[in-house]
Amino acid sequence: MTTLVSTTDTLTRDALAVLQPGFTGTTAPDWLLRRVGEGLSSVGLFGRNIESPEQLAALTARLRSERDDVLVAIDEEGGDVTRLEVGHGSSFPGNYALGSVDDVGLTRAVAQELGRRLAECGVNLNWAPSADVNSNPGNPVIGVRSFGADTALVARHTAAYVEGLQAAGVAACTKHFPGHGDTAVDSHLATPRIDVDLDTLHARELLPFRAAIAAGSKSVMSAHILLPALDPDRPATLSPQILTGLLRQELGYDGLIVTDGMEMDAISKTYGIERGSVLAIAAGADAICVGGGLADEETVLRLRDALVAAVRSGDLAEERLADAAARVRALASWTQRARGDVPEPGAEVQEGTAPGTGVSSDIGLVAARRAVRVTGSGDRLTEPGHVVEFATEANIAVGDETPWGIAAGLSTALPGTTTARCTSETADPAADVLAAAGERRIVAVVRDEHRHAWMGEAVDALVAARPDTIVVEMGLPEATPRGALHVATHGASRVCGEAAVEAVTGTKA
């Protein structure tokens, strides 16, 4: 492959500096190390790159052997979206669970402990938190990733999360600007459109971002969404009116602006990632996130050369590219200073607290327990039962590789419990469950039941046939609670599942 310019000149180094690519494997490939040495300032990590904290620490150390100030980013929201614990589920509840408790001190503590664990592994930029107000309960991609549907609640918890994460020396990346909550389309698959007026945007979508900015969020991630009231032609990621006019000038934000993944269909299928990246930097973005789906050297070179070519053709101002690269390097410098500011663990640390924080090391489970809501007057499950999990395809942000549910936990708590899984392809879910359960009490586990008619119909049939059925909702609890007991966890992370098992059985692990 021919390249446009030498890999040593300033323009090329700036073009490399604004990219945040991914890669495959659990060790850094030679091509990535070479590009880091040439000026690549950021690397994005995903679940495919992580096997254990020890392996991750070794990986980030190898990257820093090429340049000590490299930004190592990750999409670690806790809750349903985890990369650090992709194989077995997160040790932390997600935003919706924290919002349901509505204790900003708890949210801050959870974020700080999550940040501490990331920092221990060498990660210094987290693409979190989601500041989206989930005003549309049918939203297919945000849901429990949001703190809730109340703007003021989302704002105060967004600020607390930013403060906690950055207290651990990890830069926050508040997303998805200017707000992805009122969408019915997943931007991984198409371009969502939000048709609300400016007054609504300022009163609802923008308040959490104002709070994040006030809290000092070191970065903000743009959304691939179309908001005609702000820009009728281009999605936010590519819009000068939104990134420069609104975020920079009107809201006064001076930190790093990162794009959402450029390989998502809202950009790649409409503009292409090369043109999209050029338009994003020209619009005011400083860093191009790419690597969730594209994770190879060719992608890095294509985007680098597209940016260089755009400067040389006059389609992208050289000063704008240089400014973007400078902002990336400034954040990298902050993370180096922040690393030195975080207290090292010492002898005074009390048993049961996270090193250097004073925060309970099991704060995730503590928070998950507080988030559980139980309705109904039926008895807890004290004998082996029959657990059925109603499964749907997870959205791309969550991924299908992370386990969820309570079947394994309940089988451990009550040996002899039987388990099953139903999908929309199951011909008659309720009949199958009733036949398999026999005399055992049924525990029906759902996730966003209100979004799946087949699931609601199955639960209705089970409750009608077996009134002692226990229903566990691990998504948004929008459907009418029913069953002898209804347990709402407000999320499907591992600790939410553990808290649900405790609520179902009436005992703590």
Side-chain angles (χ1 to χ4, degrees), residues 274-339:
E274 292 96 332
R275 180 167 176 252
S277 296
V278 170
L279 291 173
I281 297 295
D286 305 305
I288 301 297
C289 176
V290 63
L294 298 172
D296 54 65
E297 183 177 22
E298 182 183 359
T299 298
V300 173
L301 297 180
R302 283 166 54 201
L303 296 183
R304 180 200 67 182
D305 292 351
L307 292 167
V308 170
V311 169
R312 291 184 167 171
S313 68
D315 292 332
L316 174 63
E318 186 171 359
E319 295 79 5
R320 172 77 274 273
L321 180 60
D323 173 64
R327 290 181 188 277
V328 173
R329 294 172 186 133
L331 179 58
S333 295
W334 176 86
T335 62
Q336 285 187 298
R337 296 192 301 273
R339 241 167 40 214

Coordinates of all heavy atoms in Angstrom, one line a residue, residues 274-339:
E274 N -13.6 7.2 5.8 CA -12.6 8.2 5.5 C -13.2 9.6 5.4 O -12.7 10.6 6.1 CB -11.9 7.9 4.2 CG -11.0 6.6 4.2 CD -11.8 5.4 3.7 OE1 -13.0 5.4 3.8 OE2 -11.1 4.5 3.2
R275 N -14.2 9.8 4.6 CA -14.8 11.1 4.5 C -15.5 11.5 5.8 O -15.4 12.7 6.2 CB -15.9 11.1 3.4 CG -16.6 12.4 3.2 CD -17.4 12.5 1.9 NE -18.1 13.8 1.8 CZ -19.4 13.9 2.0 NH1 -20.2 12.8 2.2 NH2 -20.0 15.1 1.8
G276 N -16.1 10.5 6.5 CA -16.7 10.8 7.8 C -15.7 11.4 8.8 O -15.9 12.3 9.5
S277 N -14.5 10.8 8.8 CA -13.4 11.2 9.7 C -12.9 12.6 9.4 O -12.7 13.4 10.3 CB -12.3 10.2 9.7 OG -12.7 9.0 10.1
V278 N -12.8 12.9 8.1 CA -12.4 14.3 7.7 C -13.5 15.3 8.1 O -13.2 16.3 8.7 CB -12.1 14.3 6.2 CG1 -12.0 15.8 5.7 CG2 -10.9 13.5 5.9
L279 N -14.7 15.0 7.9 CA -15.8 15.9 8.2 C -15.9 16.1 9.7 O -16.2 17.1 10.2 CB -17.1 15.3 7.7 CG -17.3 15.4 6.1 CD1 -18.6 14.7 5.7 CD2 -17.3 16.8 5.6
A280 N -15.7 15.0 10.5 CA -15.7 15.1 11.9 C -14.7 16.0 12.5 O -15.0 16.9 13.3 CB -15.6 13.7 12.5
I281 N -13.4 15.9 12.1 CA -12.4 16.7 12.5 C -12.7 18.2 12.1 O -12.5 19.1 12.9 CB -11.0 16.3 12.0 CG1 -10.7 14.9 12.5 CG2 -9.9 17.3 12.4 CD1 -10.4 14.8 14.0
A282 N -13.1 18.4 10.9 CA -13.4 19.7 10.4 C -14.6 20.3 11.2 O -14.6 21.5 11.5 CB -13.8 19.7 8.9
A283 N -15.5 19.5 11.7 CA -16.6 20.0 12.4 C -16.3 20.4 13.9 O -17.0 21.1 14.5 CB -17.7 18.9 12.5
G284 N -15.1 19.9 14.4 CA -14.7 20.2 15.7 C -14.3 19.0 16.6 O -13.9 19.2 17.7
A285 N -14.5 17.8 16.1 CA -14.0 16.6 16.8 C -12.5 16.6 16.9 O -11.8 17.2 16.0 CB -14.6 15.4 16.2
D286 N -12.0 16.0 17.9 CA -10.5 16.0 18.1 C -10.0 14.6 18.0 O -8.8 14.4 17.8 CB -10.2 16.5 19.5 CG -10.7 17.9 19.8 OD1 -10.4 18.8 18.9 OD2 -11.4 18.1 20.8
A287 N -10.8 13.6 18.2 CA -10.3 12.2 18.2 C -11.3 11.3 17.5 O -12.5 11.4 17.7 CB -10.1 11.7 19.6
I288 N -10.8 10.4 16.6 CA -11.7 9.5 15.8 C -11.6 8.2 16.5 O -10.6 7.5 16.5 CB -11.2 9.5 14.4 CG1 -11.2 10.9 13.7 CG2 -12.0 8.5 13.6 CD1 -12.5 11.5 13.6
C289 N -12.8 7.7 17.0 CA -12.9 6.4 17.6 C -13.2 5.4 16.4 O -14.2 5.5 15.8 CB -14.0 6.4 18.6 SG -14.3 4.7 19.3
V290 N -12.3 4.5 16.2 CA -12.6 3.4 15.2 C -11.9 2.2 15.7 O -10.8 2.2 16.3 CB -12.0 3.9 13.9 CG1 -10.5 4.1 13.9 CG2 -12.4 2.9 12.8
G291 N -12.5 1.0 15.6 CA -11.8 -0.2 16.0 C -12.7 -1.2 16.7 O -12.3 -2.3 17.0
G292 N -14.0 -0.8 16.9 CA -14.9 -1.8 17.4 C -15.2 -2.9 16.4 O -15.1 -4.1 16.7
G293 N -15.3 -2.5 15.1 CA -15.5 -3.5 14.1 C -14.4 -3.6 13.1 O -14.1 -4.6 12.5
L294 N -13.6 -2.5 13.0 CA -12.4 -2.4 12.1 C -11.2 -2.4 13.0 O -11.1 -1.4 13.8 CB -12.5 -1.2 11.2 CG -13.7 -1.2 10.2 CD1 -13.7 0.2 9.5 CD2 -13.6 -2.3 9.2
A295 N -10.3 -3.3 12.9 CA -9.3 -3.4 13.9 C -8.0 -3.9 13.3 O -7.4 -4.9 13.6 CB -9.7 -4.4 15.0
D296 N -7.5 -3.1 12.3 CA -6.3 -3.5 11.5 C -5.5 -2.3 11.1 O -6.0 -1.2 11.2 CB -6.7 -4.4 10.3 CG -7.7 -3.6 9.4 OD1 -7.3 -2.5 8.9 OD2 -8.9 -4.1 9.3
E297 N -4.3 -2.6 10.7 CA -3.4 -1.5 10.3 C -3.9 -0.8 9.1 O -3.7 0.4 9.0 CB -2.0 -2.1 10.1 CG -0.9 -1.0 9.7 CD 0.4 -1.6 9.6 OE1 0.6 -2.8 9.3 OE2 1.4 -0.8 9.7
E298 N -4.5 -1.5 8.2 CA -4.9 -0.8 7.0 C -5.9 0.3 7.3 O -5.9 1.3 6.7 CB -5.6 -1.9 6.0 CG -6.1 -1.2 4.7 CD -6.8 -2.2 3.8 OE1 -6.9 -3.4 4.2 OE2 -7.2 -1.8 2.7
T299 N -6.8 0.1 8.2 CA -7.8 1.1 8.6 C -7.1 2.3 9.1 O -7.4 3.5 8.8 CB -8.8 0.5 9.7 OG1 -9.5 -0.5 9.1 CG2 -9.7 1.6 10.1
V300 N -6.1 2.1 10.0 CA -5.3 3.2 10.5 C -4.6 4.0 9.4 O -4.7 5.3 9.4 CB -4.3 2.7 11.5 CG1 -3.3 3.9 12.0 CG2 -4.9 2.1 12.8
L301 N -4.0 3.3 8.5 CA -3.3 4.0 7.4 C -4.3 4.7 6.5 O -4.0 5.8 6.0 CB -2.5 3.0 6.6 CG -1.4 2.3 7.4 CD1 -0.6 1.4 6.5 CD2 -0.4 3.4 8.0
R302 N -5.5 4.1 6.2 CA -6.5 4.8 5.4 C -6.9 6.1 6.0 O -7.1 7.1 5.3 CB -7.7 3.8 5.2 CG -7.5 2.7 4.2 CD -8.6 1.7 4.3 NE -9.9 2.2 4.2 CZ -11.0 1.6 4.7 NH1 -10.9 0.4 5.3 NH2 -12.2 2.2 4.5
L303 N -7.2 6.1 7.3 CA -7.7 7.3 7.9 C -6.6 8.3 8.0 O -6.8 9.5 7.9 CB -8.3 6.9 9.3 CG -9.5 6.0 9.3 CD1 -10.0 5.8 10.7 CD2 -10.6 6.6 8.4
R304 N -5.4 7.9 8.4 CA -4.3 8.8 8.4 C -4.1 9.5 7.1 O -4.0 10.8 7.0 CB -3.0 8.0 8.8 CG -1.8 8.9 8.9 CD -0.5 8.1 8.8 NE -0.3 7.5 7.5 CZ 0.7 6.7 7.1 NH1 1.6 6.4 8.0 NH2 0.8 6.3 5.9
D305 N -4.1 8.7 6.0 CA -3.8 9.3 4.7 C -5.0 10.2 4.3 O -4.8 11.2 3.5 CB -3.5 8.2 3.7 CG -2.2 7.5 4.0 OD1 -1.4 8.0 4.9 OD2 -1.9 6.5 3.3
A306 N -6.2 9.8 4.6 CA -7.4 10.6 4.3 C -7.3 12.0 4.9 O -7.6 13.0 4.3 CB -8.6 9.9 4.7
L307 N -6.9 12.1 6.2 CA -6.7 13.3 6.9 C -5.6 14.2 6.2 O -5.8 15.4 6.0 CB -6.5 13.1 8.3 CG -7.6 12.5 9.1 CD1 -7.2 12.0 10.5 CD2 -8.7 13.5 9.3
V308 N -4.5 13.5 6.0 CA -3.4 14.3 5.3 C -3.8 14.8 4.0 O -3.5 16.0 3.6 CB -2.1 13.3 5.2 CG1 -1.1 14.0 4.3 CG2 -1.6 13.0 6.6
A309 N -4.4 14.0 3.2 CA -4.9 14.4 1.8 C -5.9 15.5 1.9 O -5.9 16.5 1.1 CB -5.5 13.2 1.1
A310 N -6.8 15.5 2.9 CA -7.7 16.6 3.1 C -7.1 17.9 3.4 O -7.5 19.0 2.9 CB -8.8 16.2 4.2
V311 N -6.0 17.8 4.2 CA -5.3 19.1 4.5 C -4.6 19.6 3.3 O -4.7 20.8 2.9 CB -4.3 18.8 5.6 CG1 -3.3 20.0 5.8 CG2 -4.9 18.6 7.0
R312 N -4.0 18.8 2.5 CA -3.3 19.2 1.3 C -4.2 19.7 0.2 O -3.8 20.5 -0.6 CB -2.4 18.0 0.8 CG -1.3 17.8 1.8 CD -0.3 16.7 1.2 NE 0.9 16.7 2.0 CZ 1.8 15.8 1.9 NH1 1.7 14.8 1.0 NH2 2.9 15.8 2.6
S313 N -5.5 19.2 0.2 CA -6.4 19.6 -0.8 C -7.2 20.9 -0.4 O -7.9 21.5 -1.2 CB -7.4 18.5 -1.1 OG -8.3 18.3 0.0
G314 N -7.1 21.2 0.9 CA -7.8 22.4 1.4 C -9.1 22.1 2.0 O -9.9 23.0 2.4
D315 N -9.5 20.8 2.0 CA -10.8 20.4 2.6 C -10.8 20.4 4.1 O -11.9 20.4 4.7 CB -11.2 19.0 2.1 CG -11.5 19.0 0.6 OD1 -11.9 20.0 0.1 OD2 -11.3 17.9 0.0
L316 N -9.6 20.3 4.7 CA -9.5 20.4 6.1 C -8.3 21.3 6.5 O -7.2 21.2 6.0 CB -9.1 19.0 6.7 CG -8.8 18.9 8.2 CD1 -10.0 19.3 9.0 CD2 -8.4 17.4 8.5
A317 N -8.6 22.3 7.3 CA -7.6 23.3 7.7 C -6.5 22.6 8.5 O -6.8 21.9 9.5 CB -8.2 24.4 8.5
E318 N -5.3 22.9 8.1 CA -4.2 22.3 8.9 C -4.2 22.7 10.3 O -3.8 21.9 11.2 CB -2.8 22.7 8.2 CG -1.6 22.0 8.9 CD -0.3 22.3 8.1 OE1 -0.4 22.9 7.0 OE2 0.7 21.7 8.5
E319 N -4.6 24.0 10.6 CA -4.7 24.4 12.0 C -5.7 23.6 12.8 O -5.5 23.4 14.0 CB -5.0 25.9 12.0 CG -4.0 26.8 11.4 CD -4.1 26.9 9.8 OE1 -5.0 26.2 9.3 OE2 -3.2 27.5 9.2
R320 N -6.8 23.2 12.2 CA -7.8 22.5 12.9 C -7.3 21.1 13.2 O -7.5 20.6 14.4 CB -9.1 22.3 12.0 CG -10.2 21.4 12.5 CD -11.0 22.0 13.6 NE -10.4 21.8 14.9 CZ -10.6 20.7 15.7 NH1 -11.3 19.7 15.3 NH2 -10.0 20.7 16.9
L321 N -6.6 20.4 12.3 CA -6.0 19.2 12.6 C -4.9 19.3 13.7 O -4.9 18.5 14.7 CB -5.3 18.5 11.4 CG -4.7 17.2 11.6 CD1 -5.7 16.1 12.0 CD2 -4.0 16.7 10.3
A322 N -4.1 20.3 13.7 CA -3.1 20.6 14.7 C -3.7 20.8 16.0 O -3.2 20.3 17.1 CB -2.2 21.7 14.3
D323 N -4.8 21.6 16.1 CA -5.5 21.9 17.3 C -6.1 20.6 17.9 O -6.0 20.3 19.1 CB -6.6 22.9 17.1 CG -7.5 23.1 18.3 OD1 -7.0 23.6 19.3 OD2 -8.7 22.7 18.2
A324 N -6.7 19.7 17.1 CA -7.2 18.5 17.5 C -6.1 17.6 18.1 O -6.3 17.0 19.2 CB -7.9 17.7 16.4
A325 N -5.0 17.5 17.4 CA -3.9 16.7 17.9 C -3.4 17.2 19.3 O -3.0 16.5 20.2 CB -2.8 16.6 16.9
A326 N -3.3 18.5 19.4 CA -2.8 19.2 20.6 C -3.8 18.8 21.8 O -3.3 18.6 22.9 CB -2.7 20.7 20.4
R327 N -5.1 18.8 21.5 CA -6.0 18.4 22.6 C -5.8 17.0 23.0 O -6.0 16.7 24.2 CB -7.4 18.7 22.1 CG -7.8 20.2 22.0 CD -9.2 20.4 21.6 NE -9.5 21.7 21.2 CZ -9.9 22.7 22.1 NH1 -10.0 22.3 23.4 NH2 -10.1 23.9 21.8
V328 N -5.6 16.1 22.1 CA -5.3 14.7 22.5 C -4.1 14.6 23.3 O -4.1 14.0 24.4 CB -5.1 13.8 21.2 CG1 -4.7 12.4 21.6 CG2 -6.4 13.8 20.4
R329 N -3.0 15.3 23.0 CA -1.8 15.3 23.7 C -2.0 15.9 25.1 O -1.4 15.5 26.1 CB -0.7 15.9 23.0 CG -0.3 15.2 21.7 CD 0.7 15.9 20.8 NE 0.9 15.2 19.5 CZ 0.9 15.8 18.3 NH1 0.6 17.1 18.2 NH2 1.0 15.1 17.2
A330 N -2.8 17.0 25.2 CA -3.0 17.6 26.5 C -3.7 16.7 27.4 O -3.4 16.6 28.6 CB -3.9 18.9 26.3
L331 N -4.7 15.9 26.9 CA -5.4 14.9 27.8 C -4.4 13.8 28.2 O -4.4 13.4 29.4 CB -6.6 14.3 27.1 CG -7.3 13.2 27.9 CD1 -7.8 13.8 29.2 CD2 -8.5 12.6 27.1
A332 N -3.5 13.4 27.3 CA -2.5 12.4 27.7 C -1.6 12.9 28.8 O -1.3 12.2 29.7 CB -1.7 12.0 26.4
S333 N -1.3 14.2 28.7 CA -0.4 14.8 29.8 C -1.2 14.8 31.1 O -0.6 14.6 32.2 CB 0.0 16.2 29.4 OG 0.8 16.2 28.3
W334 N -2.5 15.1 31.0 CA -3.3 15.2 32.3 C -3.3 13.8 32.9 O -3.2 13.7 34.1 CB -4.8 15.6 32.0 CG -5.6 15.5 33.2 CD1 -5.8 16.5 34.2 CD2 -6.4 14.4 33.7 NE1 -6.6 16.1 35.2 CE2 -7.0 14.8 34.9 CE3 -6.7 13.1 33.2 CZ2 -7.9 13.9 35.6 CZ3 -7.5 12.3 33.9 CH2 -8.1 12.7 35.1
T335 N -3.5 12.7 32.1 CA -3.5 11.4 32.7 C -2.2 11.0 33.4 O -2.2 10.3 34.4 CB -3.9 10.3 31.6 OG1 -2.9 10.3 30.6 CG2 -5.2 10.6 31.0
Q336 N -1.1 11.5 32.8 CA 0.2 11.3 33.5 C 0.2 12.0 34.8 O 0.7 11.4 35.8 CB 1.3 11.8 32.6 CG 1.6 10.9 31.4 CD 2.9 11.3 30.7 OE1 2.9 12.4 30.1 NE2 3.9 10.5 30.6
R337 N -0.2 13.2 34.9 CA -0.2 13.9 36.2 C -1.2 13.3 37.1 O -0.9 13.1 38.3 CB -0.6 15.4 36.0 CG 0.4 16.2 35.1 CD 0.2 17.7 35.2 NE -1.2 18.0 34.7 CZ -1.5 18.3 33.5 NH1 -0.6 18.2 32.5 NH2 -2.7 18.6 33.1
A338 N -2.4 12.9 36.6 CA -3.4 12.3 37.5 C -2.9 11.0 38.1 O -3.2 10.7 39.2 CB -4.7 12.1 36.7
R339 N -2.1 10.2 37.3 CA -1.6 9.0 37.9 C -0.7 9.2 39.1 O -0.8 8.5 40.1 CB -0.7 8.3 36.8 CG -1.2 7.0 36.4 CD -0.5 6.4 35.1 NE 0.9 6.6 34.9 CZ 1.4 6.8 33.7 NH1 0.7 6.8 32.6 NH2 2.7 6.9 33.6

